[in-house]
């Protein structure tokens, strides 16, 4: 069974740039959720994708967008990067209907200068 | 607003001592509550959920609706329990996490 994998593991961008983060879900999982974890904070829900459509969104502006592909992998895109976007971005996969059991990746550490 | 609060950033105990990590929630309706754990150099993983009423690695957590709490307890801490613990509430992948409590178990 393959776990959740994320890429890249680390990246540095400058303010105003755009970034794409990628996630491969665990085998058999059909739902992907993205979280932002700032230093010293708990993960904060960005959005969730199920059947290639957004299925819930947290309190994040529209410049945070995502995609889910037919193989259930997913992308998180952030436009017009701001310094406060510096964080660990976590992807989690799950089965639709599974009561909150998320399987997390190791995350992508984004630094915005 | 829905909220999960973990009042302690750090909890330090000696091996064999009882452990209680506190979690309070503010939710409308009936929340689903979870404890997630992150061991050193490992990814975040589910420890237990309130609907299962299970004991995992000796840890239990009881939902107290009157006090809106979901504290995590273990009667005898082990060194391998040292980790970051997050309380979370919600459902279907849309979870609200607390800020986490770092548990340090000293020999």
């Amino acid at each position: 069974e393959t776990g959740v994998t994320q890429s890249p593991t680390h990246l540095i961008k400058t303010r105003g740039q755009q970034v794409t983060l990628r996630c491969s879900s665990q085998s058999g999982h059909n739902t992907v959720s993205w979280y932002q974890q700032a230093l010293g904070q708990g993960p904060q829900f960005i959005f969730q994708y199920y059947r290639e459509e957004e299925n819930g969104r947290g309190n994040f502006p529209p410049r945070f967008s995502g995609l889910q592909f037919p193989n259930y992998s997913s992308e998180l895109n952030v436009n017009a990067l701001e310094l406060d976007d510096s964080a660990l971005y976590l992807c989690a996969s799950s089965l639709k209907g599974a009561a909150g059991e998320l399987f997390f990746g190791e995350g992508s550490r984004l630094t915005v200068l | 607003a829905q909220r999960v609060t973990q009042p302690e950033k750090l909890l330090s105990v000696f091996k064999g001592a009882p452990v209680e990590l506190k979690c309070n929630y503010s939710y409308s309706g009936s929340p689903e509550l979870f404890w997630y754990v992150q061991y050193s150099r490992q990814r975040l993983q589910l420890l237990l959920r309130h609907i299962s009423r299970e004991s995992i690695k000796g840890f239990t957590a009881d939902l107290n609706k009157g006090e809106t709490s979901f504290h995590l307890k273990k009667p005898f801490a082990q060194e391998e329990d040292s980790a970051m613990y997050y309380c979370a509430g919600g459902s279907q992948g849309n979870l609200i996490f607390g800020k986490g409590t770092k548990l340090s178990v000293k020999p």
Side-chain angles (χ1 to χ4, degrees):
Chain A
E1 188 176 79
T2 308
V4 177
T5 58
Q6 292 186 242
S7 63
T9 53
H10 295 83
L11 70 167
I12 299 173
K13 293 284 188 178
T14 56
R15 199 169 46 178
Q17 285 189 311
Q18 177 266 344
V19 68
T20 297
L21 307 178
R22 295 178 175 82
C23 171
S24 293
S25 58
Q26 182 162 310
S27 176
H29 286 179
N30 55 17
T31 303
V32 174
S33 304
W34 284 92
Y35 287 80
Q36 180 195 66
Q37 187 173 21
L39 207 58
Q41 304 292 316
Q44 188 174 359
F45 177 69
I46 302 174
F47 44 53
Q48 182 185 81
Y49 277 83
Y50 171 65
R51 289 188 174 177
E52 302 176 51
E53 292 196 359
E54 191 177 286
N55 183 45
R57 189 179 183 94
N59 189 26
F60 280 81
R63 59 189 185 83
F64 285 77
S65 63
L67 285 172
Q68 186 183 30
F69 300 100
N71 65 355
Y72 305 127
S73 66
S74 178
E75 285 182 357
L76 164 65
N77 298 289
V78 187
N79 293 323
L81 284 167
E82 301 176 359
L83 298 179
D84 284 349
D85 295 334
S86 295
L88 181 68
Y89 288 85
L90 295 169
C91 171
S93 72
S94 58
L95 274 173
K96 185 72 172 168
E101 181 165 10
L102 304 181
F103 291 80
F104 282 89
E106 294 183 324
S108 293
R109 169 90 44 201
L110 171 65
T111 301
V112 182
L113 303 176
Chain B
Q2 296 176 339
R3 194 182 308 132
V4 173
T5 304
Q6 295 178 252
E8 303 141 328
K9 287 186 72 172
L10 173 66
L11 184 62
S12 186
V13 301
F14 287 101
K15 177 182 172 182
V19 168
E20 181 178 68
L21 292 97
K22 292 184 168 52
C23 172
N24 290 90
Y25 65 89
S26 172
Y27 251 85
S28 55
S30 298
E32 296 176 34
L33 289 157
F34 311 87
W35 277 98
Y36 276 78
V37 61
Q38 187 166 26
Y39 300 103
S40 177
R41 287 186 287 278
Q42 294 188 28
R43 59 189 68 192
L44 194 59
Q45 59 186 287
L46 178 67
L47 180 62
L48 54 78
R49 70 198 91 182
H50 90 273
I51 57 171
S52 301
R53 303 179 71 84
E54 57 200 345
S55 174
I56 302 292
K57 300 184 178 182
F59 284 99
T60 58
D62 289 321
L63 178 62
N64 185 323
K65 291 185 178 181
E67 295 182 358
T68 60
S69 68
F70 187 56
H71 303 329
L72 183 68
K73 299 177 184 178
K74 184 169 183 175
F76 307 104
Q78 303 298 315
E79 288 180 68
E80 56 265 30
D81 295 329
S82 295
M84 197 74 188
Y85 290 81
Y86 295 94
C87 182
S91 63
Q92 300 296 326
N94 178 357
L95 297 183
I96 296 174
F97 284 82
K99 292 185 178 181
T101 298
K102 183 174 182 179
L103 175 63
S104 175
V105 181
K106 299 178 179 179

